[in-house]
Amino acid sequence: FRSDQTRFSYPHCTVACFFDRKISLDSFTDSKALDPRWREARAKVRVTVHPEWPQGSNDCYDSPVHIVMKDGRRFSKLCHRARGDPDCQRFGVSEVRQKYLECMEYAGCYSRERVEQIADLALNLDRLHDLSVLAGYLTFPDREHRSGT
């Protein structure tokens, strides 16, 4: 199991919900992919495909989640829609911006000030007359963009 497989793994994503509480890029590292504790927990997750649902249409149906504890207690939840679903639960600008800031901080290529500048320019892209400043910021991390150089 490798980190590039974790983000497409229902068992890994399920375990990340319990172990990390807040899912982030750090939830999908090689160390977590190979961690024996995570491996053991992933092995306990069962994913059931409903053959009665039309293939490729899982976004049209509710997603039941059932958890059975060691002592036999059961917890169930019916998830109607995923966060970010275009039909009813789009992310707001502040949520998208926060996610971007977290991802950029994780990457560590840009200073917080530069990340904020890029976010401001990107969120106002429709009002920019010249994209060279944004392109320069994205091309040369934390260097001042000088036109013509």
Side-chain angles (χ1 to χ4, degrees):
F1 208 70
R2 298 181 324 260
S3 64
D4 60 338
Q5 297 170 312
T6 58
R7 61 182 178 255
F8 301 108
S9 165
Y10 282 125
H12 187 88
C13 292
T14 302
V15 170
C17 290
F18 289 95
F19 286 179
D20 287 350
R21 298 280 185 184
K22 183 177 182 198
I23 307 304
S24 69
L25 293 174
D26 192 50
S27 301
F28 304 97
T29 60
D30 283 333
S31 64
K32 290 184 179 173
L34 301 172
D35 185 302
R37 182 172 161 248
W38 283 66
R39 187 178 320 123
E40 180 183 348
R42 283 192 304 265
K44 295 177 183 179
V45 175
R46 302 285 177 261
V47 177
T48 303
V49 176
H50 291 269
E52 69 275 15
W53 292 357
Q55 190 170 2
S57 299
N58 61 347
D59 61 326
C60 300
Y61 299 93
D62 293 330
S63 299
V65 176
H66 305 287
I67 299 170
V68 181
M69 307 300 286
K70 285 181 182 180
D71 64 7
R73 288 181 297 149
R74 295 175 175 270
F75 299 91
S76 295
K77 175 140 175 120
L78 189 61
C79 302
H80 298 289
R81 292 280 183 184
R83 287 281 293 135
D85 180 43
D87 292 335
C88 64
Q89 293 205 13
R90 286 186 182 265
F91 292 113
V93 172
S94 63
E95 292 170 299
V96 171
R97 182 185 182 99
Q98 184 59 38
K99 184 58 140 176
Y100 160 76
L101 295 175
E102 291 170 7
C103 289
M104 293 302 284
E105 181 179 337
Y106 183 84
C109 297
Y110 297 89
S111 67
R112 179 66 178 213
E113 179 183 5
R114 182 54 46 90
V115 168
E116 294 275 354
Q117 291 169 329
I118 293 169
D120 291 340
L121 289 169
L123 288 171
N124 293 292
L125 200 57
D126 57 329
R127 292 184 216 124
L128 292 181
H129 298 293
D130 181 1
L131 295 177
S132 65
V133 173
L134 177 59
Y137 285 168
L138 293 170
T139 306
F140 305 106
D142 286 330
R143 288 192 207 161
E144 290 297 322
H145 176 70
R146 294 178 182 91
S147 57
T149 59

